Amino acid sequence: MDYHLSLNWPDFIERYWQKRPVVLKRGFTDFVDPISPDELAGLAMEDEVDSRLVSHHEGKWQVSHGPFQSYDHLSENNWSLLVQAVNHWHEPTAALMRPFRALPDWRIDDLMISFSVPGGGVGPHLDQYDVFIIQGTGRRRWRVGDKVPMKQHCPHPDLLQVDPFEAIIDEEMEPGDILYIPPGFPHEGYSLENSLNYSVGFRAPSGKELISGFADYVLQRELGTHRYTDPDVPAREHPADIVPQELDKLREMMLEMIGQPEHFNQWFGEFISQTRHELDVSPPEPPYQADEIYDALQQGDKLVRLGGLRVLRINGDVFVNGEKIDSPHRPALEALASHIELNAEHFGDALEDPSFLAMISALVNSGYWFFED
């Protein structure tokens, strides 16, 4: 199904993006749920899928992690089932992510879906990333507070909740409504009836993650082997002192590594194109031969990108799930990164190059793209 988002993106970015929360009434008109509660519950029973059950009773919170064997023990009130990265495992839900490609692909993370019974929610909390929460079936009340210092407490180790707050948004949301919340704004939602919510989350790497990731890249490639030298060792009053000139030189050694575009771009492409959750990779059996893929495309078949697969571009170089794709056919690579569905016209003359066809075959046989049924 195609979802059409009624949103003026330039106006939204200027007024709201990373600035203040907003409710977008009827952001999706005539909204249809791409998944049922039973299908969501079935996914949460799979080993590879990241899921949680959150419940509360008389102020006491409980969190359990999937996979789940049964739901028979649950009451009719005050619990939520949350399933992460559903777009990786359920192809129809991946269509909900596409209207948000007005924002950069590298910033979009995954689709978390929750099913809640009356009173279900996770309590007041903060997120450190942007999120669009789409209301599906049912009604849910959302409260959002202003971005002020909030004290976190842990009624349960898995729930980093915050103290009660004064709401700047207090809204009952209905199917197709969207709540946008920037990082740092406290919020809480609870269901008024059985309801589905779809949370489009965004990736916001921390400085710690970036430094750690780049350090791993340096170590794997045995870079940075140049050692500190000081042929003109500066004088100092006390032998124990490390003088400013030495600190500057050490800092410059480290910054020089990050300052090399060829290494920084290669690292970041590999780093940011990796998924944080498992993919539903199903390599075809038997594997496709290159001529079979050529014939299928020429006959009008379409290749569809696997849900959740991250395909990103830096200065014309394309990265797929942590690996750089080497090919001189830049227009075809651009199509690979830009389009979810691909046909022979997108690839053009590149399909006549055996090396390009072998590369496409390897991607298909890895389960990253598949032919549309």
Side-chain angles (χ1 to χ4, degrees), residues 253-269:
M253 284 180 64
M254 298 178 70
L255 292 174
E256 185 181 359
M257 293 295 303
I258 297 175
Q260 297 178 38
E262 66 276 17
H263 284 309
F264 186 85
N265 293 354
Q266 175 79 18
W267 159 71
F268 191 66

PDB file of all heavy atoms in Angstrom, residues 253-269:
ATOM      1  N   MET A 253      47.962  14.972  15.992  1.00  0.00           N
ATOM      2  CA  MET A 253      48.135  13.615  15.478  1.00  0.00           C
ATOM      3  C   MET A 253      46.791  12.901  15.377  1.00  0.00           C
ATOM      4  O   MET A 253      46.509  12.194  14.402  1.00  0.00           O
ATOM      5  CB  MET A 253      49.067  12.814  16.392  1.00  0.00           C
ATOM      6  CG  MET A 253      50.535  13.146  16.271  1.00  0.00           C
ATOM      7  SD  MET A 253      51.542  12.142  17.406  1.00  0.00           S
ATOM      8  CE  MET A 253      51.264  10.474  16.755  1.00  0.00           C
ATOM      9  N   MET A 254      45.959  13.087  16.385  1.00  0.00           N
ATOM     10  CA  MET A 254      44.652  12.429  16.385  1.00  0.00           C
ATOM     11  C   MET A 254      43.721  13.058  15.352  1.00  0.00           C
ATOM     12  O   MET A 254      43.019  12.352  14.612  1.00  0.00           O
ATOM     13  CB  MET A 254      44.035  12.498  17.783  1.00  0.00           C
ATOM     14  CG  MET A 254      44.858  11.781  18.846  1.00  0.00           C
ATOM     15  SD  MET A 254      44.144  11.911  20.499  1.00  0.00           S
ATOM     16  CE  MET A 254      42.682  10.881  20.313  1.00  0.00           C
ATOM     17  N   LEU A 255      43.718  14.397  15.293  1.00  0.00           N
ATOM     18  CA  LEU A 255      42.838  15.067  14.346  1.00  0.00           C
ATOM     19  C   LEU A 255      43.246  14.797  12.902  1.00  0.00           C
ATOM     20  O   LEU A 255      42.397  14.797  12.001  1.00  0.00           O
ATOM     21  CB  LEU A 255      42.841  16.578  14.612  1.00  0.00           C
ATOM     22  CG  LEU A 255      42.193  17.014  15.925  1.00  0.00           C
ATOM     23  CD1 LEU A 255      42.386  18.515  16.141  1.00  0.00           C
ATOM     24  CD2 LEU A 255      40.711  16.668  15.927  1.00  0.00           C
ATOM     25  N   GLU A 256      44.525  14.562  12.683  1.00  0.00           N
ATOM     26  CA  GLU A 256      44.999  14.277  11.329  1.00  0.00           C
ATOM     27  C   GLU A 256      44.351  13.004  10.785  1.00  0.00           C
ATOM     28  O   GLU A 256      44.033  12.906   9.606  1.00  0.00           O
ATOM     29  CB  GLU A 256      46.523  14.135  11.318  1.00  0.00           C
ATOM     30  CG  GLU A 256      47.092  13.945   9.916  1.00  0.00           C
ATOM     31  CD  GLU A 256      48.606  13.789   9.922  1.00  0.00           C
ATOM     32  OE1 GLU A 256      49.210  13.844  11.016  1.00  0.00           O
ATOM     33  OE2 GLU A 256      49.172  13.607   8.836  1.00  0.00           O
ATOM     34  N   MET A 257      44.147  12.018  11.663  1.00  0.00           N
ATOM     35  CA  MET A 257      43.496  10.782  11.233  1.00  0.00           C
ATOM     36  C   MET A 257      42.066  11.059  10.772  1.00  0.00           C
ATOM     37  O   MET A 257      41.640  10.629   9.704  1.00  0.00           O
ATOM     38  CB  MET A 257      43.483   9.772  12.382  1.00  0.00           C
ATOM     39  CG  MET A 257      44.849   9.253  12.793  1.00  0.00           C
ATOM     40  SD  MET A 257      45.607   8.291  11.467  1.00  0.00           S
ATOM     41  CE  MET A 257      44.365   7.055  11.207  1.00  0.00           C
ATOM     42  N   ILE A 258      41.319  11.784  11.589  1.00  0.00           N
ATOM     43  CA  ILE A 258      39.928  12.080  11.256  1.00  0.00           C
ATOM     44  C   ILE A 258      39.850  13.029  10.068  1.00  0.00           C
ATOM     45  O   ILE A 258      38.888  13.018   9.297  1.00  0.00           O
ATOM     46  CB  ILE A 258      39.216  12.680  12.486  1.00  0.00           C
ATOM     47  CG1 ILE A 258      39.193  11.662  13.620  1.00  0.00           C
ATOM     48  CG2 ILE A 258      37.805  13.125  12.159  1.00  0.00           C
ATOM     49  CD1 ILE A 258      38.618  12.184  14.917  1.00  0.00           C
ATOM     50  N   GLY A 259      40.881  13.852   9.893  1.00  0.00           N
ATOM     51  CA  GLY A 259      40.868  14.875   8.856  1.00  0.00           C
ATOM     52  C   GLY A 259      41.173  14.362   7.463  1.00  0.00           C
ATOM     53  O   GLY A 259      41.181  15.152   6.518  1.00  0.00           O
ATOM     54  N   GLN A 260      41.411  13.062   7.298  1.00  0.00           N
ATOM     55  CA  GLN A 260      41.675  12.508   5.968  1.00  0.00           C
ATOM     56  C   GLN A 260      40.347  12.072   5.340  1.00  0.00           C
ATOM     57  O   GLN A 260      39.768  11.065   5.764  1.00  0.00           O
ATOM     58  CB  GLN A 260      42.623  11.320   6.067  1.00  0.00           C
ATOM     59  CG  GLN A 260      43.997  11.683   6.618  1.00  0.00           C
ATOM     60  CD  GLN A 260      44.902  10.478   6.756  1.00  0.00           C
ATOM     61  OE1 GLN A 260      44.901   9.585   5.917  1.00  0.00           O
ATOM     62  NE2 GLN A 260      45.680  10.434   7.828  1.00  0.00           N
ATOM     63  N   PRO A 261      39.838  12.816   4.359  1.00  0.00           N
ATOM     64  CA  PRO A 261      38.498  12.527   3.819  1.00  0.00           C
ATOM     65  C   PRO A 261      38.344  11.100   3.326  1.00  0.00           C
ATOM     66  O   PRO A 261      37.284  10.490   3.508  1.00  0.00           O
ATOM     67  CB  PRO A 261      38.352  13.535   2.675  1.00  0.00           C
ATOM     68  CG  PRO A 261      39.288  14.640   3.012  1.00  0.00           C
ATOM     69  CD  PRO A 261      40.453  13.988   3.708  1.00  0.00           C
ATOM     70  N   GLU A 262      39.395  10.538   2.693  1.00  0.00           N
ATOM     71  CA  GLU A 262      39.223   9.198   2.136  1.00  0.00           C
ATOM     72  C   GLU A 262      38.948   8.169   3.227  1.00  0.00           C
ATOM     73  O   GLU A 262      38.145   7.248   3.058  1.00  0.00           O
ATOM     74  CB  GLU A 262      40.447   8.783   1.299  1.00  0.00           C
ATOM     75  CG  GLU A 262      41.755   8.592   2.065  1.00  0.00           C
ATOM     76  CD  GLU A 262      42.531   9.886   2.291  1.00  0.00           C
ATOM     77  OE1 GLU A 262      41.934  10.976   2.144  1.00  0.00           O
ATOM     78  OE2 GLU A 262      43.720   9.793   2.620  1.00  0.00           O
ATOM     79  N   HIS A 263      39.603   8.332   4.380  1.00  0.00           N
ATOM     80  CA  HIS A 263      39.361   7.406   5.485  1.00  0.00           C
ATOM     81  C   HIS A 263      38.073   7.752   6.228  1.00  0.00           C
ATOM     82  O   HIS A 263      37.293   6.850   6.584  1.00  0.00           O
ATOM     83  CB  HIS A 263      40.541   7.417   6.457  1.00  0.00           C
ATOM     84  CG  HIS A 263      41.734   6.680   5.954  1.00  0.00           C
ATOM     85  ND1 HIS A 263      41.663   5.395   5.480  1.00  0.00           N
ATOM     86  CD2 HIS A 263      43.034   7.054   5.841  1.00  0.00           C
ATOM     87  CE1 HIS A 263      42.862   4.992   5.098  1.00  0.00           C
ATOM     88  NE2 HIS A 263      43.708   5.981   5.297  1.00  0.00           N
ATOM     89  N   PHE A 264      37.856   9.039   6.480  1.00  0.00           N
ATOM     90  CA  PHE A 264      36.662   9.415   7.229  1.00  0.00           C
ATOM     91  C   PHE A 264      35.402   9.029   6.469  1.00  0.00           C
ATOM     92  O   PHE A 264      34.450   8.461   7.038  1.00  0.00           O
ATOM     93  CB  PHE A 264      36.658  10.921   7.509  1.00  0.00           C
ATOM     94  CG  PHE A 264      35.529  11.349   8.406  1.00  0.00           C
ATOM     95  CD1 PHE A 264      35.645  11.276   9.787  1.00  0.00           C
ATOM     96  CD2 PHE A 264      34.328  11.810   7.871  1.00  0.00           C
ATOM     97  CE1 PHE A 264      34.598  11.660  10.624  1.00  0.00           C
ATOM     98  CE2 PHE A 264      33.274  12.187   8.692  1.00  0.00           C
ATOM     99  CZ  PHE A 264      33.410  12.105  10.070  1.00  0.00           C
ATOM    100  N   ASN A 265      35.347   9.306   5.158  1.00  0.00           N
ATOM    101  CA  ASN A 265      34.165   8.979   4.365  1.00  0.00           C
ATOM    102  C   ASN A 265      33.935   7.471   4.288  1.00  0.00           C
ATOM    103  O   ASN A 265      32.808   6.991   4.386  1.00  0.00           O
ATOM    104  CB  ASN A 265      34.292   9.558   2.956  1.00  0.00           C
ATOM    105  CG  ASN A 265      34.261  11.075   2.948  1.00  0.00           C
ATOM    106  OD1 ASN A 265      34.034  11.712   3.974  1.00  0.00           O
ATOM    107  ND2 ASN A 265      34.503  11.671   1.793  1.00  0.00           N
ATOM    108  N   GLN A 266      35.041   6.742   4.079  1.00  0.00           N
ATOM    109  CA  GLN A 266      34.919   5.283   4.004  1.00  0.00           C
ATOM    110  C   GLN A 266      34.392   4.728   5.327  1.00  0.00           C
ATOM    111  O   GLN A 266      33.480   3.898   5.357  1.00  0.00           O
ATOM    112  CB  GLN A 266      36.279   4.654   3.680  1.00  0.00           C
ATOM    113  CG  GLN A 266      36.310   3.132   3.703  1.00  0.00           C
ATOM    114  CD  GLN A 266      35.729   2.511   2.456  1.00  0.00           C
ATOM    115  OE1 GLN A 266      35.602   3.176   1.425  1.00  0.00           O
ATOM    116  NE2 GLN A 266      35.355   1.245   2.532  1.00  0.00           N
ATOM    117  N   TRP A 267      34.996   5.200   6.435  1.00  0.00           N
ATOM    118  CA  TRP A 267      34.533   4.732   7.744  1.00  0.00           C
ATOM    119  C   TRP A 267      33.070   5.069   7.971  1.00  0.00           C
ATOM    120  O   TRP A 267      32.282   4.203   8.365  1.00  0.00           O
ATOM    121  CB  TRP A 267      35.363   5.351   8.879  1.00  0.00           C
ATOM    122  CG  TRP A 267      34.588   5.288  10.169  1.00  0.00           C
ATOM    123  CD1 TRP A 267      34.307   4.180  10.918  1.00  0.00           C
ATOM    124  CD2 TRP A 267      33.911   6.374  10.809  1.00  0.00           C
ATOM    125  NE1 TRP A 267      33.513   4.514  11.981  1.00  0.00           N
ATOM    126  CE2 TRP A 267      33.244   5.844  11.948  1.00  0.00           C
ATOM    127  CE3 TRP A 267      33.796   7.743  10.538  1.00  0.00           C
ATOM    128  CZ2 TRP A 267      32.497   6.643  12.805  1.00  0.00           C
ATOM    129  CZ3 TRP A 267      33.048   8.533  11.395  1.00  0.00           C
ATOM    130  CH2 TRP A 267      32.408   7.984  12.511  1.00  0.00           C
ATOM    131  N   PHE A 268      32.672   6.323   7.721  1.00  0.00           N
ATOM    132  CA  PHE A 268      31.317   6.717   8.059  1.00  0.00           C
ATOM    133  C   PHE A 268      30.303   5.994   7.182  1.00  0.00           C
ATOM    134  O   PHE A 268      29.226   5.615   7.657  1.00  0.00           O
ATOM    135  CB  PHE A 268      31.130   8.231   7.939  1.00  0.00           C
ATOM    136  CG  PHE A 268      29.830   8.697   8.540  1.00  0.00           C
ATOM    137  CD1 PHE A 268      29.608   8.604   9.903  1.00  0.00           C
ATOM    138  CD2 PHE A 268      28.817   9.201   7.728  1.00  0.00           C
ATOM    139  CE1 PHE A 268      28.402   9.008  10.470  1.00  0.00           C
ATOM    140  CE2 PHE A 268      27.606   9.611   8.279  1.00  0.00           C
ATOM    141  CZ  PHE A 268      27.407   9.512   9.657  1.00  0.00           C
ATOM    142  N   GLY A 269      30.635   5.776   5.930  1.00  0.00           N
ATOM    143  CA  GLY A 269      29.731   5.022   5.064  1.00  0.00           C
ATOM    144  C   GLY A 269      29.508   3.613   5.580  1.00  0.00           C
ATOM    145  O   GLY A 269      28.376   3.118   5.601  1.00  0.00           O
TER     146      GLY A 269
END
